[in-house]
Amino acid sequence: MDTIVVTPIESAEDPAYRQAYQIVVAGQAADVPDMPEPCWDFFLGKMTHPLPGQPTRHFLARAGGEPAGYLALTLPDLDNTENGHVEIHVHPQYRRRGVGRALFDRAGSIARQEGRKRLIGDAVAALPGGVARPDAGAQFARTLGAKPALTDVRRRLDLTTVDDDALAEQLARAWLRADGYSLVWWRDVVPGEYIDDIAYLDGRLNKDAPMGDLVWEPEIFDRRRIRAAEAANRARKRRRYNTGVRHNATGRVVAFTTLDLPHCPADYAWQQITIVEPQHRGHRLGTIVKLENLRYARVHEPALRTIDTWNAAENTHMIAINEEMGFRPVDSWINWQLNL
Ligand SMILES: CC(C)(COP(=O)(O)OP(=O)(O)OC[C@H]1O[C@@H](n2cnc3c(N)ncnc32)[C@H](O)[C@@H]1OP(=O)(O)O)[C@@H](O)C(=O)NCCC(=O)NCCS
């Protein structure tokens, strides 16, 4: 059996960080080959520009001296201060040799020292009748004593086959229910006049979206955190498109959504947050922001072809909108939770 040694990666200049990146690329190509290769700039940014409230420590595991596994351990410091989040990747050629367990043990001991009560991490799984996915992540998590706390389903929209006429009709129907609202758009920086509304809506997301058994507090957002996140995202070269709905009577933005292009490739985006303030639900604002934002992003990103979105399996309203737009299920992502 190879000796496994886990060492912290202190900076992005450390060659170990490039080796960690190569492990993530190889693992993803083996496990979820339909996902585009993660881009180096994006990975680099995770080390050089962590998101506010989410300081992350990075570790490389070597087996017999060779790079074999990578751990990113996030210990939130603005909220969720009893939680730790783990991301563990083991190179396909080094699996079932104890590398994952060694990385997990390191995460657990640091998290305990830092007073954390639980660790959370996600792993892909196949959907019934869906494309094949390895069950290594689930088996591993179960072996370590973690419990499935929330199941997300990833759905994909293929813009090469999307029915644009149907989308236009869906949007026109939605506007019939939305008298008294108008649109606002922004790219990477939310206009100052709306920043408090966006902080409020951002902070609601984990209150409003189904969280299953996952113990994750609503995140605390304010102007400073939003501006710091924007700076980190810009430094990571992410391109973000946002559409909001303004309630004309009060001037407040009461719904918004974000599409996020994580730099390369230019044809791929993540559908991020979509939220409607509870008092303004029932006016099709969720449909409106998503469809208008898709239009907005496509104007500026003509190469865009594929959008992935993750929703809790029980988030029926959001899923209904997505399905009507043409998003289709690909696989599931289980959030595993372990009490320390
Ligand atoms: C899950 C993953 C990290 C496991 O790494 P690993 O180095 O192969 O794991 P270990 O060798 O330390 O396995 C520890 C135990 O987990 C269980 N396990 C791991 N992979 C398994 C598999 N494919 N089938 C069944 N059990 C498995 C076993 O009980 C194993 O102990 P054993 O080999 O003595 O039977 C690796 O497959 C991977 O990188 N997967 C993709 C990313 C991911 O899902 N990460 C986990 C979520 S954070």
Side-chain angles (χ1 to χ4, degrees):
M1 204 61 178
D2 295 328
T3 309
I4 298 165
V5 179
V6 175
T7 24
I9 311 173
E10 302 292 359
S11 84
E13 283 79 48
D14 184 338
Y17 199 55
R18 182 62 87 159
Q19 292 164 342
Y21 169 67
Q22 282 153 357
I23 290 166
V24 173
V25 169
Q28 191 179 291
D31 298 337
V32 274
D34 68 290
M35 294 267 245
E37 184 174 300
C39 99
W40 167 246
D41 281 330
F42 180 78
F43 193 78
L44 186 64
K46 287 172 79 156
M47 165 76 93
T48 56
H49 294 88
L51 289 169
Q54 298 181 30
T56 301
R57 303 184 200 179
H58 307 262
F59 299 85
L60 186 75
R62 291 188 180 81
E66 295 299 319
Y70 164 65
L71 160 69
L73 171 65
T74 302
L75 299 176
D77 62 0
L78 292 178
D79 43 52
N80 289 286
T81 52
E82 293 187 343
N83 292 344
H85 186 273
V86 287
E87 211 188 294
I88 295 177
H89 302 265
V90 175
H91 193 289
Q93 286 170 10
Y94 288 91
R95 291 185 182 170
R96 297 307 290 274
R97 300 190 195 185
V99 173
R101 196 189 283 273
L103 288 167
F104 175 80
D105 287 348
R106 175 64 67 94
S109 70
I110 295 173
R112 269 190 213 94
Q113 275 164 25
E114 300 284 335
R116 306 293 158 140
K117 295 198 172 146
R118 62 193 74 81
L119 283 178
I120 293 166
D122 59 35
V124 72
L127 284 170
V131 287
R133 290 291 181 245
D135 67 349
Q139 300 277 10
F140 174 72
R142 223 174 255 117
T143 299
L144 299 171
K147 301 259 181 324
L150 178 69
T151 299
D152 287 330
V153 173
R154 174 168 64 116
R155 284 181 173 72
R156 173 165 284 188
L157 184 65
D158 177 353
L159 293 173
T160 62
T161 58
V162 79
D163 183 343
D164 283 310
D165 293 339
L167 292 186
E169 269 173 44
Q170 189 186 355
L171 183 57
R173 272 199 316 276
W175 272 114
L176 296 175
R177 300 271 295 271
D179 254 5
Y181 296 95
S182 49
L183 293 172
V184 289
W185 295 273
W186 66 96
R187 296 276 291 261
D188 300 324
V189 178
V190 59
E193 60 192 302
Y194 303 130
I195 193 166
D196 292 331
D197 297 339
I198 296 306
Y200 164 75
L201 291 171
D202 258 335
R204 283 204 70 94
L205 184 67
N206 291 352
K207 273 187 221 141
D208 293 0
M211 295 298 283
D213 295 327
L214 204 59
V215 183
W216 197 265
E217 294 167 6
E219 287 157 7
I220 298 165
F221 280 93
D222 56 16
R223 285 170 177 241
R224 191 204 286 205
R225 186 167 181 179
I226 287 183
R227 290 293 182 233
E230 289 170 348
N233 284 324
R234 266 203 317 279
R236 292 171 175 209
K237 300 188 184 152
R238 293 164 82 157
R239 298 194 301 283
R240 291 159 76 85
Y241 294 86
N242 300 272
T243 298
V245 166
R246 186 174 163 276
H247 180 228
N248 295 339
T250 57
R252 298 194 63 180
V253 169
V254 295
F256 87 105
T257 193
T258 306
L259 272 170
D260 183 2
L261 282 82
H263 183 226
C264 51
D267 62 355
Y268 179 78
W270 289 322
Q271 170 64 59
Q272 304 270 22
I273 184 171
T274 301
I275 188 160
V276 179
E277 210 280 328
Q279 287 177 18
H280 295 272
R281 294 191 184 153
H283 293 281
R284 297 287 186 272
L285 302 186
T287 303
I288 289 171
V289 285
K290 283 194 100 152
L291 287 169
E292 295 283 6
N293 202 38
L294 179 60
R295 271 188 179 173
Y296 177 44
R298 285 172 93 184
V299 168
H300 296 279
E301 301 286 347
L304 184 58
R305 294 284 174 273
T306 307
I307 303 175
D308 277 341
T309 190
W310 282 256
N311 301 114
E314 64 261 42
N315 195 345
T316 45
H317 293 311
M318 194 73 264
I319 289 170
I321 295 172
N322 291 339
E323 289 274 345
E324 195 179 356
M325 286 176 72
F327 280 93
R328 292 293 172 260
V330 181
D331 49 23
S332 83
W333 291 75
I334 299 173
N335 293 275
W336 295 85
Q337 181 166 276
L338 177 95
N339 291 325
L340 291 170

